[in-house]
Every structure is written in C-alpha cells, then in structure tokens.
Amino acid sequence: MEYRHFIGNAWKAADNGESLDVIDPSTGEPFAAIARGNAADIDLAVCAAQGAMGEALDGPWAKLSPVERSNLLFAYAKAVLDHADELAQLEARDTGKALKTARTDAAVLARYLQYYAGCVDKLHGETLPYTTGFTVLTVREPIGVTGHIIPWNYPMQIYGRSVGASLAAGNACVVKPAEDASLSILRLAEIAAETGFPAGAINVVTGLGGEAGAALSANEGIRHISFTGSTATGALVGRTAAERHCPSVLELGGKSPQLVFDDADLDEALPVILNAIIQNAGQTCSAGSRLLVQRGIYETVIERLSARFEAMRTGPSSMDLDMGPLVNKKQQTRVRAMVEDAEAQGIRVAARGKIAVEASRNGYFQEAVLFRDVPPQSRLAQEEVFGPVLAVMPFDDEAEAVKLANGTNYGLVAGVWTRDGSRGLRLARKLQAGQVFVNNYGAGGGVELPFGGVKASGHGREKGFEALYGFTSLKTIAVKHG
Ligand code: NAD
C-alpha cells in the first residue's frame, strides 16, 4: 500500500515522487510506504488551509457559525468511534503498540473531539471596565493556519488534543505526523473529509522531520506551531518559529518522579506506578520513570514491584500482551544502550520482564527492567530513557524527596503517594511540574486537565479549555461613544 499526502480533501503524490518505507516494529519488515514530503508539499498544504480560511475569514471553513463548527466536530468524534477498531489496528501495526493501548487511544481521541466540540460556543471574550464614555470588549479570533508536528508515541491522542483544539478555535490545520507513525493520521484526515469538513480545514503532509517538519516550522503561512517530541528538536522548532514571530507550544520530554511515603496505600499505588512506566512500552512523555521511596518501606516496595516486573510480557502488537515492541531500531538501540550503560556503572537490576518466545528476532523488543538504588546524578536518573525502565531510589524525609524530585532538567508530571492530606498538598506546591497527582497518576490521561511542562519539558499548555486560548488571537476593541 502506497500512501500519499492528504491535502485539500484529496490524495496528492509527493512533489518529488519519493517515498519512505513503513516498517512493522513487531517484525522489522516494511509493509507500506508513505510520501516523502518536502517544502513544496508543505506550501501546497498551507495554501489549501489558507483557502479554507479565506482572505477575510470568509473561506468555506472560517465562515461556519460556531454551532456548525461544533456539530461537525461532534460528527467527527462519532465517525472516529465508528472506525475505532480500524484506526486501532492501523496504529498498532504502524507503531507496534499493543492493540489494547491503540483501542484506548482511539477512544481518547474521540473524547478530545467531543470535549472541544462542546467548547466551541463557550469560547468568548469579556467587556472591560474603562474610562467613562467608552465601551471596551475583547474577542477571541482564530489565528489562521496552525502547524502540528506529531510524534510517534501517541499519534491519535496528540492529534486529538492539538488539532481538535485548533479546529474548535476556528483555525485550519497542517499536520506533519512522525515518519514512524503516519497511517492513522492520514486515515483521520480522510474520515474528516467524509464527515463533511470543507477542503483545506485539515491537511496532512508526511515525511521526515528534517525535511517536511523543518519546512512546516519555517513556513511563513503557519501562524502557530504546536510540537510534541524531543527536547532537542523542540528547541529547534521553537527557535525557527520565534525567528518569524510565530507562537509555539512545545510539549517535550520528562523524567517524571513518583514519591512514595511510608504511610502510602501500596495496594492502591503499586499497580498505578507499574502502569505509568510500562504503558506503551515506556514511550510516554509523562511516564513515571523515577520512583522515590521512603526508606521505611523501600525493601517492601522493591520486593512487590520486582514480582510485578518479572510477570511483564512483551510481544508483537497482535498478541496484545503487556507491551509491544519499541517503535523502531533507533529506539531499541538507544534503550538497550542506556540499560547496558547503567549495568556497566554497577547499578543493580532488581527484576526483568520477559519477551514472548513467539516474538520475531527482527522485531524491536525490549523487556521491562527495574533498577534499584539508582544514584541521583547518574544518567539513568537524569535522562529520558523512553522505554520500560524504572529507576528506584530511597529518601529519608520530605525535604530530601522534594530535592530529588526537582533535581533534573525536566518538569512535566509528578506523583505523591501519602495518606497525609496536608503533606500531599504541601508537596504538590513544591514540586516543579506542569501537573501533580496526589494518590493517583495520570500518564497520558485527562482530556479536561491542562497539560504541559516547565524547564526542559517545554512551555504552553495543551488539553482542557486552557489549550483553546493558545489557539486564539485576543483582540481588544475600544469604542468611544461619549
Ligand atoms: P523527534 O522530536 O525528533 O520527533 C518528533 C517529531 O518531530 C516527528 O514528527 C519528527 O518527524 C519531527 N521532527 C524531527 N526533526 C524535526 C525538525 N528538524 N523540524 C521539525 N520537525 C522535526 O523525536 P525522535 O527522534 O523520534 O525521538 C527521539 C527522542 O525524543 C525519544 O527517545 C524520546 O526521548 C523523545 N520523544 C518524546 C516524545 C514526547 O511525547 N515528549 C515523543 C517522541 C519522542
């Protein structure tokens, strides 16, 4: 199967006629090809999106009333649910994720579209008190054409939270999915066209990050860019956008800590802690990848978690085990190297999961690994692994726990497990993170909850109503009437 770009509600061949293989991570074998987009393809997509907006917000997409826009988004959510199984199969094959994870992703995508469909007619400005003789008001207008660079770990979910919010705010979108995970996004654009979205409202250009992605972030017609991915690429995209005064939302990596105190309910905490690192084989920006445990329960937690890690099974996505393979060879090599490096430094492995015997030798499999007594300044404690690898370390008191938790460059999510309500709230205020969960941990979830980072985890917020503001341009209108 050879996929093309989806521009202006039609399939378009790549300008240069080139394509990229799509590899099944469970087997290492190519099974399809996508178009290798370049700057000319991005130009075409931006033109199509500008056409949908029109010169003076009079294009076929921009002229829809809020209720018409809302109805289309609700219809889109329903169409996604109708095609949920097809979308999940496509994304599971393309990314290697376990089918159950892909099914959840399709459901969460539909939920984003429903949420933002419900927001369209609640997105309003204010009237402001000003000098006598004036009436002053603000209106929230669409920004224009927005660019969306999507990673390979949760293509459907990230499309939902980013494109869903932008469409709700009235913008037209140009999407560049990851080269390793384009198929569900292409199908989603086609489903949008079938649902009745006007040509140009949603356009997808596939290709490499350094080509199609770089061209998207540099394109003068893109008035807002939303990027999810690595900290290094995020800095590049943010810089390119800043040079032409284009606002950006950067949702980057994390090394998110979970703090477990002596008084925590371990029966409640441990399954959540495990899921936060093995979900999507650890390829989650908000993965709970550092576990800080108070010394009094340290050995108990290691023992109980070890049993769970040893029971973890990894296999092809079609087997639907605890984990599928990693997304590509590069990720597998990277994760393996980090595990080997940690072992070479003498960091102890407390437990390992298993790879199913049915798994192909050519697939990109990585078993779950639990490391204990991890030195806080080691690479394993400081750098994002992006695999099913958990670094556990002990602490004595609250002050030390906060210092350890805040002691990396990242600040995306944190979790606190304690029965002491005051401590939960106190620590929530002290932890440097965009989201803090007390006695729960929401890796990836929470459509309604603003999400984003501090420090090297990025800036701007996605999800919830907050995301909508970022996709609008606020205009102040001051009328002197005497
Ligand atoms: P990446 O950041 O390079 O890729 C993410 C997206 O950016 C993809 O769509 C890619 O095509 C695009 N891209 C790449 N270079 C670009 C450029 N110069 N200009 C514009 N767009 C560009 O990530 P990666 O190389 O696929 O993975 C490397 C590491 O990034 C992972 O090991 C992981 O640590 C991290 N990562 C984080 C997330 C997240 O959700 N925060 C997602 C994916 C990867």
Side-chain angles (χ1 to χ4, degrees):
M1 179 80 184
E2 181 120 5
Y3 293 86
R4 298 171 167 204
H5 304 309
F6 197 79
I7 299 174
N9 281 1
W11 296 105
K12 291 267 185 329
D15 166 72
N16 56 16
E18 290 184 28
S19 62
L20 300 165
D21 278 347
V22 177
I23 311 281
D24 180 340
S26 298
T27 62
E29 298 293 330
F31 68 97
I34 51 167
R36 179 173 177 170
N38 62 15
D41 298 309
I42 292 287
D43 274 343
L44 195 67
V46 171
C47 279
Q50 285 170 331
M53 294 303 292
E55 285 282 325
L57 297 184
D58 53 357
W61 168 241
K63 74 180 186 199
L64 293 186
S65 68
V67 72
E68 286 168 327
R69 212 156 70 224
S70 168
N71 285 341
L72 255 183
L73 279 164
F74 273 122
Y76 195 16
K78 180 173 181 308
V80 165
L81 289 175
D82 291 345
H83 292 87
D85 199 52
E86 175 200 347
L87 287 163
Q89 299 273 359
L90 204 54
E91 189 161 302
R93 179 128 198 240
D94 201 6
T95 64
K97 65 176 60 186
L99 253 176
K100 56 185 158 232
T101 311
R103 289 204 173 98
T104 303
D105 291 352
V108 175
L109 158 63
R111 178 71 196 111
Y112 275 118
L113 295 174
Q114 288 166 349
Y115 178 85
Y116 286 116
C119 289
V120 175
D121 52 2
K122 286 128 198 127
L123 184 63
H124 55 74
E126 296 176 313
T127 53
L128 306 174
Y130 191 55
T131 308
T132 310
F134 275 77
T135 294
V136 180
L137 56 127
T138 57
V139 286
R140 290 200 171 270
E141 298 182 337
I143 295 180
V145 179
T146 57
H148 306 261
I149 299 178
I150 307 223
W152 39 260
N153 53 346
Y154 291 94
M156 285 194 278
Q157 284 208 32
I158 293 170
Y159 174 92
R161 76 184 190 203
S162 165
V163 173
S166 183
L167 291 171
N171 304 296
C173 303
V174 179
V175 185
K176 209 301 279 172
E179 45 273 44
D180 289 305
S182 297
L183 305 190
S184 54
I185 303 297
L186 285 166
R187 181 70 181 112
L188 281 168
E190 189 183 37
I191 291 173
E194 289 161 7
T195 307
F197 278 80
I202 302 171
N203 308 278
V204 179
V205 175
T206 56
L208 297 172
E211 298 174 359
L216 181 66
S217 48
N219 192 293
E220 288 289 336
I222 296 291
R223 300 314 313 148
H224 177 288
I225 191 121
S226 142
F227 171 86
T228 304
S230 65
T231 298
T233 306
L236 213 61
V237 169
R239 198 176 309 130
T240 308
E243 274 163 12
R244 53 184 188 80
H245 312 290
C246 169
S248 59
V249 171
L250 304 179
E251 201 273 271
L252 311 177
K255 193 73 195 176
S256 298
Q258 298 213 53
L259 286 55
V260 188
F261 285 85
D262 283 348
D263 63 352
D265 180 343
L266 292 184
D267 291 339
E268 182 105 359
L270 292 180
V272 177
I273 287 167
L274 180 75
N275 184 56
I277 188 64
I278 63 125
Q279 177 180 304
N280 206 27
Q283 304 169 114
T284 304
C285 49
S286 52
S289 54
R290 285 187 299 150
L291 185 65
L292 282 40
V293 184
Q294 200 161 19
R295 214 169 287 273
I297 52 163
Y298 189 71
E299 291 305 330
T300 309
V301 168
I302 294 282
E303 196 179 311
R304 290 180 62 178
L305 264 184
S306 293
R308 288 168 188 267
F309 265 70
E310 275 159 15
M312 287 296 111
R313 294 288 175 273
T314 301
S317 68
S318 55
M319 282 182 77
D320 215 6
L321 301 177
D322 302 303
M323 281 176 287
L326 301 180
V327 74
N328 57 28
K329 186 81 191 158
K330 184 176 129 198
Q331 276 305 112
Q332 187 193 36
T333 307
R334 190 172 171 277
V335 174
R336 273 191 185 164
M338 285 189 78
V339 169
E340 283 165 14
D341 180 56
E343 287 185 85
Q345 285 178 36
I347 304 177
R348 281 169 65 193
V349 171
R352 279 181 201 275
K354 293 203 172 41
I355 296 174
V357 287
E358 295 87 344
S360 157
R361 282 168 171 234
N362 299 324
Y364 311 130
F365 299 100
Q366 167 65 51
E367 75 275 18
V369 188
L370 179 69
F371 279 101
R372 59 171 295 167
D373 315 334
V374 177
Q377 292 314 317
S378 62
R379 197 174 158 218
L380 188 61
Q382 292 290 324
E383 290 182 25
E384 189 172 47
V385 178
F386 232 60
V389 179
L390 181 59
V392 192
M393 59 196 85
F395 68 83
D396 286 309
D397 55 24
E398 258 184 54
E400 189 189 1
V402 171
K403 191 160 179 254
L404 286 172
N406 290 341
T408 73
N409 286 335
Y410 293 108
L412 195 56
V413 176
V416 182
W417 295 91
T418 177
R419 284 193 171 95
D420 178 341
S422 301
R423 170 155 61 198
L425 198 47
R426 188 164 57 242
L427 291 193
R429 302 302 298 267
K430 289 184 178 176
L431 292 170
Q432 296 166 352
Q435 283 189 334
V436 180
F437 294 92
V438 179
N439 293 327
N440 70 106
Y441 190 87
V447 166
E448 308 85 350
L449 316 179
F451 176 74
V454 298
K455 306 196 287 186
S457 292
H459 58 74
R461 292 293 176 264
E462 295 203 302
K463 305 190 181 185
F465 214 88
E466 198 66 30
L468 276 177
Y469 293 139
F471 281 112
T472 61
S473 182
L474 187 74
K475 182 182 278 173
T476 304
I477 301 173
V479 181
K480 185 176 179 185
H481 40 66

